[in-house]
């Protein structure tokens, strides 16, 4: 295996941030928003609270899945991933059993179209995520997509509980540093909170429908001035997409440029 786990941050009981460093090779150039593969042999142990494998594997079979990169495209030392545990899954129970210093297979190519490459520099950007879907946006922000111009950026991040809002400290810091950046977190499982949550409790699609971005920016996001990125839960992606289409936003495709960019993990 060609890489080493150099840092693990436990965000919540089922969410971890992993830093993975290449061992003896150079990370390729990539564009923020792209993803890479991680793989472990089936012989590696599953974390204790996972359910058993749903199929049998040869011990040396590599189990591979793809994950959005959360680190800056400028970082050449390591790649960072924000991953949630699927207790019944094949790879994540093995990932969650890893310790710092353990080896892992990291794909040598990062790919994907979920990037800002086709977004005009003067267009505003709304980044909508549920759960670990915030990872590609963290990479974009760390790679300085705010830039020096007048572009406004908003992150709408939905999670079950406050402790599931990974990277919230970094996003709050950025909001304090820039009046062109807005962070709009929301949680839906309020009854489970240990202390009172005074923030938003709506679904991200309901926040959008209520015009949270327009209120924050003082400018209505339209297809002419804004690109929208959707990442994470397929249900959220679907209902956001339906609403945006009604407002004349169009899905971005290779041959047909549009303003809605989608990375659905379903
Ligand atoms: C472009 C992209 C980027 C992504 N980025 C991220 C990221 O940044 N962070 C993140 O957390 N995730 C990300 N994902 C999701 C990730 O790739 C995996 O799908 C996820 O981690 C689950 O992997 P797993 O091997 O643990 O589960 P899987 O083995 O893939 O299983 C998923 C579910 O399906 C069930 N299942 C699958 N096959 C069977 C079967 N044959 N029989 C019975 N049940 C079955 C499992 O029990 C489980 O409930 C991304 C996905 C894509 C496509």
């Amino acid at each position: 295996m060609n890489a080493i786990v150099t840092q693990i941050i436990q965000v919540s009981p089922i969410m971890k941030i992993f830093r993975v460093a290449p061992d003896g090779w150079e990370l390729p150039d990539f564009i923020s928003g792209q993803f890479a593969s991680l793989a472990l042999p089936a012989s590696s142990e599953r974390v204790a609270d996972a359910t058993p494998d749903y199929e049998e594997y040869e011990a040396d079979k590599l189990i591979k899945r793809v994950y959005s990169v959360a680190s800056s495209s400028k970082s050449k030392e390591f790649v960072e991933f924000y991953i949630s545990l699927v207790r019944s899954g094949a790879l994540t129970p093995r990932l969650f059993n890893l310790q710092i210093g353990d080896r892992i297979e990291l794909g040598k190519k990062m790919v994907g179209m979920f990037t800002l490459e086709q977004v005009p520099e003067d267009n505003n950007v709304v980044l909508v995520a549920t759960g670990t879907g915030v990872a590609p946006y963290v990479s974009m922000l760390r790679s300085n997509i705010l830039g020096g111009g007048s572009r406004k950026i908003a992150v709408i991040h939905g999670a079950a509980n406050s402790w599931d809002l990974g990277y919230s400290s970094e996003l709050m810091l950025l909001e304090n540093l820039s009046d062109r950046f807005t962070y709009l977190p929301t949680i839906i499982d309020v009854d489970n909170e240990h202390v009172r949550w005074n923030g938003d409790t709506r679904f991200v699609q309901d926040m959008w429908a209520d015009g949270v971005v327009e209120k924050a920016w003082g400018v209505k996001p339209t297809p002419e001035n804004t690109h929208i990125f959707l990442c994470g839960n397929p249900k959220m992606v679907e209902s956001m997409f339906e609403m945006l289409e009604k407002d004349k936003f169009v899905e971005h495709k290779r041959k047909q440029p549009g303003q809605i960019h989608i990375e659905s993990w379903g």
Side-chain angles (χ1 to χ4, degrees):
M1 286 184 283
N2 66 0
I4 296 170
V5 177
T6 56
Q7 191 180 46
I8 300 174
I9 300 171
Q10 180 104 38
V11 175
S12 78
I14 58 154
M15 288 171 168
K16 284 185 179 182
I17 293 169
F18 295 87
R19 271 191 190 177
V20 177
D23 187 21
W25 54 282
E26 272 191 25
L27 286 177
D29 287 338
F30 72 97
I31 307 165
S32 287
Q34 292 188 314
F35 56 87
S37 67
L38 288 175
L40 287 170
S43 56
S44 44
E45 271 189 43
R46 294 171 69 83
V47 72
D49 59 348
T51 56
D53 270 322
Y54 52 78
E55 68 178 85
E56 269 185 36
Y57 302 100
E58 300 282 335
D60 59 351
K61 182 184 163 55
L62 272 185
I63 301 172
K64 190 194 282 188
R65 298 286 184 270
V66 294
Y67 295 95
S68 298
V69 174
S71 42
S72 165
S73 57
K74 293 172 190 154
S75 157
K76 288 285 157 209
E77 307 297 319
F78 60 83
V79 198
E80 191 173 293
F81 301 97
Y82 179 31
I83 300 179
S84 56
L85 172 66
V86 179
R87 289 197 174 87
S88 56
L91 184 62
T92 52
R94 291 174 167 86
L95 288 175
F96 272 64
N97 205 39
L98 290 175
Q99 306 296 318
I100 291 170
D102 284 349
R103 300 191 75 87
I104 188 166
E105 183 76 14
L106 171 62
K108 287 195 170 177
K109 240 181 146 182
M110 289 154 202
V111 291
M113 299 273 297
F114 193 65
T115 71
L116 284 133
E117 264 199 318
Q118 309 289 324
V119 181
E121 269 179 28
D122 59 348
N123 270 207
N124 299 326
V125 181
V126 181
L127 306 168
V128 187
T130 50
T132 48
V134 77
Y137 307 150
V138 173
S139 175
M140 291 173 183
L141 292 161
R142 286 172 167 179
S143 310
N144 196 23
I145 60 162
L146 261 170
S150 57
R151 164 183 282 173
K152 294 180 197 298
I153 297 184
V155 168
I156 307 179
H157 189 194
N161 288 107
S162 55
W163 50 89
D164 300 319
L165 288 165
Y167 296 104
S168 59
S169 305
E170 203 166 319
L171 297 171
M172 282 192 275
L173 173 68
L174 195 54
E175 189 174 47
N176 283 331
L177 292 178
S178 172
D179 54 12
R180 292 189 286 116
F181 179 74
T182 310
Y183 175 48
L184 300 162
T186 180
I187 62 159
I188 52 169
D189 193 3
V190 224
D191 295 342
N192 228 353
E193 291 292 304
H194 302 291
V195 293
R196 193 184 147 92
W197 167 262
N198 294 311
D200 224 303
T201 56
R202 290 169 289 179
F203 285 108
V204 295
Q205 51 270 41
D206 296 335
M207 292 169 75
W208 173 261
D210 285 348
V212 282
V213 177
E214 183 178 353
K215 280 176 204 154
W217 286 353
V219 179
K220 186 177 167 65
T222 65
E224 288 70 42
N225 64 20
T226 304
H227 278 242
I228 319 265
F229 285 68
L230 309 175
C231 185
N233 183 307
K235 278 191 192 144
M236 176 281 284
V237 170
E238 205 181 303
S239 54
M240 277 298 298
F241 183 69
E242 281 170 12
M243 272 193 289
L244 291 168
E245 272 198 316
K246 283 186 193 138
D247 288 339
K248 305 276 183 285
F249 286 87
V250 173
E251 185 177 0
H252 180 80
K253 294 191 179 138
R254 206 185 286 267
K255 288 189 179 153
Q256 176 212 305
Q259 311 82 22
I260 312 173
H261 305 255
I262 294 179
E263 193 84 289
S264 181
W265 296 350

